[in-house]
Amino acid sequence: MPRDHVLTLSCPDRTGIVYGVSGLLFEHGCNILDAQQFGDPESGRFFLRVHFDTPDPARIDLVHASFSRLAATHAMDWRLHDARRRARLLVLVSRQGHCLNDLLFRTHSRQLRADITAVVSNHADFAPLAASYGVPFHHLPVDAGHRAAQEAQLFDLVERERIDLVVLARYMQILSPELCDALAGRAINIHHSFLPSFKGAQPYHQAHARGVKIIGATAHYVTRELDEGPIIEQDVAHVDHAMTPASLIRIGSDVESRVLARAVRLHVEHRILLNGHRTVVFR
């Protein structure tokens, strides 16, 4: 039975890359199901995502070995993924549960090719919600004197459960630089698009006081620079003078949930490639 895989790569842009990749797959009897590419004239790099299947699943090891040799000649940063494997997620949350609730439903209903392996929170509020989906809940309180120990427990859980992606679903704690580095490229955060204009507490109230006409949300990879990581997905909603702060919160929560879910989907389907501080996102 054919087995499909996704190949992603980036490398210095030059002629012959697509020819070399497609020729290699052809030699191994693979069938290309979808291919997307992008050459960035600014960075001088080439990006490629190829979805293909193999007639014999056992041949993927030969494909991998052959591609290693091709990649060396082009200085490629590349990954080969099993397209049918469901990613293992760890969701971090504090006291705003709309994004967590949305992700629990989407994974449970198989709308995302992922499973939430565990939920971690610095508060116990959403333990019943996680339990209703049969997902283990870990209450890891945070205080200034024990922050390092709490993060050590968190990272131990990531390693023990073989987590592919950590999702900060309105987790209102700043991760240490060391933890950000350890999770580089596999941690996604969601925040309202007011940053940096409306920093701190009650951003929707600040926005209401300034009479904004658009609110939104941004999903990005977590880095040492707070809320400055490579952007994956964004969306907005139009608002008007008649709306109260409560209305903005309701609308903003919906936008945040949608944007985070789309970002998680793009990541687990291997559609995001880093291009310096930016991303290349293949739809």
Side-chain angles (χ1 to χ4, degrees):
M1 180 179 180
R3 185 78 176 186
D4 55 327
H5 293 78
V6 172
L7 168 69
T8 57
L9 66 87
S10 67
C11 62
D13 200 356
R14 56 188 287 192
T15 60
I17 299 171
V18 174
Y19 174 81
V21 172
S22 58
L24 185 152
L25 294 176
F26 175 77
E27 290 172 6
H28 286 280
C30 301
N31 179 43
I32 294 177
L33 304 174
D34 176 72
Q36 298 180 71
Q37 65 189 63
F38 172 67
D40 182 11
E42 293 186 10
S43 66
R45 293 190 66 80
F46 179 79
F47 302 84
L48 179 67
R49 179 186 186 273
V50 181
H51 182 199
F52 67 94
D53 65 23
T54 56
D56 178 5
R59 290 192 65 84
I60 196 62
D61 291 336
L62 296 176
V63 173
H64 194 283
S66 296
F67 200 84
S68 294
R69 294 189 288 272
L70 176 66
T73 65
H74 291 279
M76 293 177 178
D77 180 10
W78 64 285
R79 301 288 186 275
L80 190 58
H81 312 273
D82 183 342
R84 301 188 188 183
R85 179 180 175 274
R86 294 178 65 81
R88 297 171 64 82
L89 309 184
L90 175 66
V91 180
L92 309 185
V93 66
S94 290
R95 280 183 160 155
Q96 299 178 52
H98 51 283
C99 290
L100 170 64
N101 186 59
D102 182 77
L103 289 172
L104 284 167
F105 176 78
R106 290 178 190 268
T107 53
H108 179 75
S109 59
R110 314 289 280 192
Q111 295 180 35
L112 286 173
R113 191 173 295 157
D115 295 310
I116 297 178
T117 304
V119 173
V120 169
S121 180
N122 53 322
H123 301 283
D125 302 48
F126 296 113
L129 176 61
S132 71
Y133 283 92
V135 175
F137 182 89
H138 301 266
H139 180 210
L140 301 181
V142 179
D143 61 64
H146 301 87
R147 185 174 297 275
Q150 190 261 8
E151 286 198 346
Q153 289 180 280
L154 175 58
F155 190 69
D156 179 68
L157 185 62
V158 170
E159 294 287 285
R160 188 170 69 248
E161 295 295 336
R162 306 182 312 280
I163 298 300
D164 298 300
L165 180 66
V166 175
V167 183
L168 281 67
R170 300 299 287 167
Y171 183 62
M172 307 306 289
Q173 295 294 319
I174 299 175
L175 303 186
S176 69
E178 294 74 20
L179 186 55
C180 290
D181 291 346
L183 297 177
R186 54 179 179 145
I188 292 176
N189 186 34
I190 185 71
H191 69 68
H192 48 82
S193 286
F194 304 137
L195 291 175
S197 297
F198 298 103
K199 295 182 179 180
Q202 297 186 314
Y204 289 105
H205 290 75
Q206 295 180 51
H208 180 263
R210 292 289 300 274
V212 301
K213 298 298 183 279
I214 292 178
I215 62 173
T218 300
H220 64 90
Y221 283 115
V222 174
T223 63
R224 283 179 170 229
E225 295 74 31
L226 180 63
D227 292 332
E228 297 289 342
I231 293 171
I232 301 169
E233 183 70 17
Q234 293 178 298
D235 206 350
V236 297
H238 289 270
V239 297
D240 61 39
H241 64 277
M243 295 180 180
T244 64
S247 299
L248 300 190
I249 292 172
R250 174 179 55 79
I251 295 169
S253 296
D254 289 343
V255 177
E256 290 169 10
S257 297
R258 294 197 307 270
V259 169
L260 183 58
R262 291 203 297 262
V264 170
R265 180 186 302 279
L266 290 166
H267 182 93
V268 301
E269 293 183 358
H270 316 296
R271 296 182 179 277
I272 310 168
L273 294 173
L274 291 177
N275 184 16
H277 197 65
R278 297 177 293 155
T279 58
V280 173
V281 180
F282 291 121
R283 300 293 173 180

